[in-house]
Amino acid sequence: MSTSLDHIAAALQNHSARRMPGRRWVKRCGVVLLLADCDPDAALDEPVVLMMKRAERHGDPWSGHVSFPGGRVGRGDASTRAAALRELHEETGFDPAGRVEPIGRLSDLLTREHSRPLPMVVSPYVYRTPCALKLKPGIEAAELRWVPLSWLSDPLRRQTLIWKGLPLPSIDLEGARLWGLSLAMTRELLRVARLPQR
């Protein structure tokens, strides 16, 4: 599978992402899916997406798993999108100012904040940057990696993750697991871009 970011950007422009009704009345979280046209250190010339392997922390059910940079809207954030870009900078050291181009967004997802009973709406935003850069992870990230989009649609990387006794789909990314909300975002991106999901 190979496609260009021009193709993905065009597909996202025509995509009607679902907005969660009443989202302004609950906690909000913004997430960035940062795509790069290529990774100069990779063997293949294809688009890649930035993912982070979360640091191991006691009480965090997602410790050691893969996610996209993002976090809760803070008091100083003008919007969910602003929060997502701030978290991108804090978690990866990547300063988006003048270095990224917004190319679309994906559908809102509903979750809960760890042990808190109230729901939270997660809004994913898709950005593009010309080339993958080597980045240094922040406190919340144990590792940052640029993942080829072809890995995300490779059926040989699909696995089942047991979480709280439940079998859940996941993707193996060389020792880290992509699952849950991040996997849902990934699947929507692949579907919108019409990338194969065999």
Side-chain angles (χ1 to χ4, degrees):
M1 184 262 339
S2 180
T3 191
S4 71
L5 283 195
D6 289 335
H7 166 84
I8 295 173
L12 284 168
Q13 290 302 309
N14 295 319
H15 177 52
S16 298
R18 295 184 309 276
R19 267 77 164 178
M20 196 72 67
R23 62 188 184 278
R24 67 177 59 185
W25 307 114
V26 298
K27 294 286 186 183
R28 303 285 304 279
C29 172
V31 172
V32 172
L33 282 74
L34 181 61
L35 305 176
D37 289 272
C38 66
D39 181 351
D41 295 328
L44 298 176
D45 183 14
E46 65 172 304
V48 291
V49 60
L50 180 63
M51 293 186 178
M52 55 182 267
K53 184 176 181 182
R54 298 177 64 90
E56 297 282 350
R57 294 193 301 171
H58 179 71
D60 182 358
W62 296 281
S63 286
H65 292 278
V66 176
S67 67
F68 298 106
R72 276 202 312 163
V73 176
R75 295 191 179 190
D77 296 318
S79 64
T80 310
R81 184 181 292 272
L85 292 173
R86 173 182 55 76
E87 290 282 349
L88 171 67
H89 189 196
E90 291 177 2
E91 293 176 342
T92 72
F94 181 93
D95 184 358
R99 298 166 69 183
V100 297
E101 172 192 356
I103 58 174
R105 63 161 290 166
L106 301 174
S107 299
D108 288 339
L109 296 166
L110 191 64
T111 187
R112 288 195 307 177
E113 279 189 282
H114 301 287
S115 60
R116 299 185 185 186
L118 298 178
M120 179 171 67
V121 172
V122 180
S123 299
Y125 301 97
V126 186
Y127 283 83
R128 173 182 189 172
T129 193
C131 191
L133 300 175
K134 291 185 179 180
L135 302 170
K136 183 178 179 181
I139 295 176
E140 296 182 34
E143 180 184 344
L144 299 171
R145 56 178 70 183
W146 292 95
V147 177
L149 293 188
S150 60
W151 286 19
L152 304 177
S153 59
D154 183 353
L156 297 178
R157 292 186 176 274
R158 293 187 184 168
Q159 296 184 350
T160 298
L161 171 74
I162 304 301
W163 186 72
K164 293 187 177 181
L166 298 174
L168 299 173
S170 69
I171 296 176
D172 175 59
L173 301 176
E174 296 188 345
R177 296 284 188 92
L178 173 67
W179 66 290
L181 292 183
S182 297
L183 179 58
M185 297 173 201
T186 299
R187 285 178 162 175
E188 184 177 6
L189 177 65
L190 296 178
R191 186 174 65 252
V192 171
R194 297 185 179 179
L195 301 180
Q197 299 184 69
R198 295 182 296 275

